[in-house]
Amino acid sequence: MQVFPPLFPPLSLYVHIPWCVQKCPYCDFNSHAQKGGIPEQEYIAHLLADLRQDLARYQASIGERTLHSIFIGGGTPSLFSAQGIAHLLQGIEQQIPFAPNIEITLEANPGTAEASRFAGYVEAGVNRLSLGIQSFDDEKLQRLGRIHNSEEAKSAVQMAKDAGFKRINLDLMHGLPNQTLTEALDDLRQAIALEPSHLSWYQLTIEPNTMFAYRPPTLPDDDALWDIFEQGHQLLSQAGYGQYETSAYAKAGDQCRHNLNYWRFGDYLAIGCGAHGKLTFPNGDILRFSKTKHPKGYMRGEYLYEEKPISLNERPFEFFMNRFRLLEPVPKIEFENLTGLSCDVIAKQIDWAKSQKYIQENHRTWQITEQGKLFLNELLTEFLPE
């Protein structure tokens, strides 16, 4: 039962740049190996035209809202020049105002040619850099299809700091092909020694339609993976990194605000090949939409691929699907404010989750338990529409 129109959550923007130097064998993101030059200026013009269309189409949702965060992901966005990123950000701000403390993240690979652009990205307005390190073991990096080595990775972090980046995330994987506990913890120690403000430390999984899916490597077994996680978590905690999401650790105050907005059922515009967005409207509608995946179609001006409203009975699952990935308590008022539903509609599911010891409840919040984290998929399935 809908009890009132949902309130507007913060508004973010995701920008997708689909090109990479080469496709990694584990990657299932919408990315394309560059063949010849990248049409940087032309693509940026399409990104800004895509945004213009969205702002007109979704004016009822956007209104006078400002952008809380921007995340430029890929692909490898750092293949674009600093001048290109500056032009993109200026074009976005001319169309929709930035909040005074806006967080602007750019994903980058630690190849030396790209690292030399870091000062230009800072000047363009990027204030958070996310570096795709993945490992500090050269043999493992080759196995993962990465184009950098361990020394280039460390050099890129230092260059980013020298360029003026105060907020740096390192993406690091564990559970790599034939990886031992010692190797996984060594990777983590080397990452911690670089003192990033944020670490995304996640397990390699074999995704459909990737090269690893067709030729699966030998990965550590479940017992080994548990040991890696348990001892790695301890290392990170001792180094002052707090876990705030399943795979995300940060120094105090340095959580990724853009990702927090996703996980808290926030709103986000999305431009670029295959980008996904979500918006809330004053009449109570909540809409998901996606963009054309392939650059050829997208650069013909065919931006919008699909729109799909989130029905009332889908909203509990949609809300908790991301919210229970966060380790913080979930305020009940947020569920009501952001879904437009009364807590009464999920009373049965909440009672079941408490009986399984998956969540704890008080008069204001729900809190996922250690047991709930272990059986997250089973917990979430309970909120699926019948």
Side-chain angles (χ1 to χ4, degrees), residues 26 29 71-75 77 105-110 128-136 141 144 146 148 153 157 168-174 176 187-188 191 194 196 198-203 244-245 247-249 256 259 263:
Y26 59 85
F29 293 143
F71 196 104
I72 306 171
T105 302
L106 179 93
E107 286 188 334
N109 277 348
R128 184 175 181 275
L129 193 71
S130 182
L131 283 167
I133 304 286
Q134 313 314 353
S135 176
F136 292 98
L141 286 168
L144 293 171
R146 306 298 290 172
H148 66 274
V157 177
I168 298 171
N169 168 61
L170 303 186
D171 274 350
L172 201 68
M173 286 189 194
H174 62 273
L176 302 179
D187 262 355
L188 206 45
L194 295 169
H198 189 287
L199 267 161
S200 297
W201 187 56
Y202 53 97
Q203 183 186 323
Y244 68 100
E245 185 268 336
S247 307
Y249 293 77
C256 177
N259 285 345
W263 294 324

Side-chain angles (χ1 to χ4, degrees), residues 24-319:
C24 296
Y26 59 85
C27 177
D28 70 334
F29 293 143
N30 183 32
S31 60
H32 303 265
Q34 67 176 94
K35 291 167 184 169
I38 293 173
E40 179 179 312
Q41 288 182 313
E42 188 186 352
Y43 189 69
I44 289 170
H46 281 288
L47 288 172
L48 296 174
D50 185 4
L51 179 63
R52 201 171 299 114
Q53 281 191 14
D54 278 1
L55 294 178
R57 182 185 292 113
Y58 304 129
Q59 176 57 30
S61 171
I62 310 301
E64 301 300 312
R65 298 163 84 182
T66 60
L67 281 183
H68 156 95
S69 65
I70 298 173
F71 196 104
I72 306 171
T76 306
S78 54
L79 290 174
F80 275 30
S81 68
Q83 293 86 349
I85 296 299
H87 177 56
L88 172 65
L89 291 174
Q90 287 161 10
I92 293 168
E93 191 172 17
Q94 283 165 7
Q95 296 188 52
I96 182 167
F98 291 1
N101 62 341
I102 187 170
E103 174 191 89
I104 303 176
T105 302
L106 179 93
E107 286 188 334
N109 277 348
T112 50
E114 295 155 32
S116 65
R117 299 174 174 174
F118 291 167
Y121 295 142
V122 171
E123 203 175 322
V126 179
N127 52 27
R128 184 175 181 275
L129 193 71
S130 182
L131 283 167
I133 304 286
Q134 313 314 353
S135 176
F136 292 98
D137 181 320
D138 286 343
E139 186 267 325
K140 294 285 188 283
L141 286 168
Q142 282 191 336
R143 189 80 172 87
L144 293 171
R146 306 298 290 172
I147 62 168
H148 66 274
N149 61 34
S150 174
E151 285 309 308
E152 285 172 336
K154 292 172 183 175
S155 171
V157 177
Q158 189 55 52
M159 289 177 81
K161 289 181 177 181
D162 292 345
F165 279 108
K166 301 284 189 290
R167 302 183 69 213
I168 298 171
N169 168 61
L170 303 186
D171 274 350
L172 201 68
M173 286 189 194
H174 62 273
L176 302 179
N178 302 307
Q179 189 178 46
T180 64
L181 171 64
T182 302
E183 288 171 336
L185 296 181
D186 188 51
D187 262 355
L188 206 45
R189 286 190 186 95
Q190 291 187 68
I192 290 167
L194 295 169
E195 299 184 319
S197 56
H198 189 287
L199 267 161
S200 297
W201 187 56
Y202 53 97
Q203 183 186 323
L204 171 65
T205 53
I206 306 297
E207 302 294 345
N209 304 316
T210 61
M211 287 172 66
F212 273 178
Y214 297 122
R215 291 185 183 174
T218 304
L219 301 182
D221 63 26
D222 287 347
D223 288 342
L225 288 170
W226 179 250
D227 288 341
I228 289 170
F229 172 74
E230 203 170 37
Q231 294 189 40
H233 176 79
Q234 200 172 358
L235 263 182
L236 285 160
S237 301
Q238 288 167 351
Y241 292 91
Q243 185 187 23
Y244 68 100
E245 185 268 336
T246 306
S247 307
Y249 293 77
K251 296 279 192 182
D254 271 315
Q255 295 91 340
C256 177
R257 296 203 294 271
H258 186 88
N259 285 345
L260 279 174
N261 195 36
Y262 286 157
W263 294 324
R264 289 171 176 162
F265 206 55
D267 276 1
Y268 42 98
L269 289 158
I271 57 175
C273 298
H276 288 253
K278 169 198 167 269
L279 290 171
T280 305
F281 291 81
N283 66 356
D285 288 348
I286 302 176
L287 184 75
R288 288 202 183 276
F289 59 94
S290 64
K291 299 300 171 67
T292 299
K293 282 184 79 169
H294 201 280
K296 280 185 182 172
Y298 185 83
M299 291 175 72
R300 286 196 297 264
E302 300 161 9
Y303 306 137
L304 183 65
Y305 174 70
E306 186 177 45
E307 288 181 322
K308 186 179 179 295
I310 304 177
S311 66
L312 294 179
N313 65 348
E314 290 172 321
R315 290 184 191 181
F317 175 76
E318 290 272 346
F319 178 85

Side-chain angles (χ1 to χ4, degrees), residues 311-375:
S311 66
L312 294 179
N313 65 348
E314 290 172 321
R315 290 184 191 181
F317 175 76
E318 290 272 346
F319 178 85
F320 288 116
M321 173 177 64
N322 289 319
R323 205 59 174 76
F324 277 149
R325 285 179 61 93
L326 287 174
L327 307 188
E328 65 188 21
V330 183
K332 295 178 182 180
I333 191 69
E334 274 190 23
F335 174 81
E336 296 196 333
N337 284 346
L338 298 180
T339 65
L341 299 171
S342 162
C343 290
D344 295 341
V345 303
I346 52 167
K348 190 176 87 172
Q349 292 95 321
I350 293 293
D351 286 344
W352 173 85
K354 286 194 297 182
S355 74
Q356 301 298 308
K357 299 188 167 45
Y358 291 166
I359 64 168
Q360 294 172 334
E361 181 182 35
N362 62 33
H363 67 287
R364 288 193 309 108
T365 66
W366 301 296
Q367 173 68 66
I368 191 165
T369 63
E370 291 299 319
Q371 180 86 342
K373 282 187 261 176
L374 288 175
F375 294 93

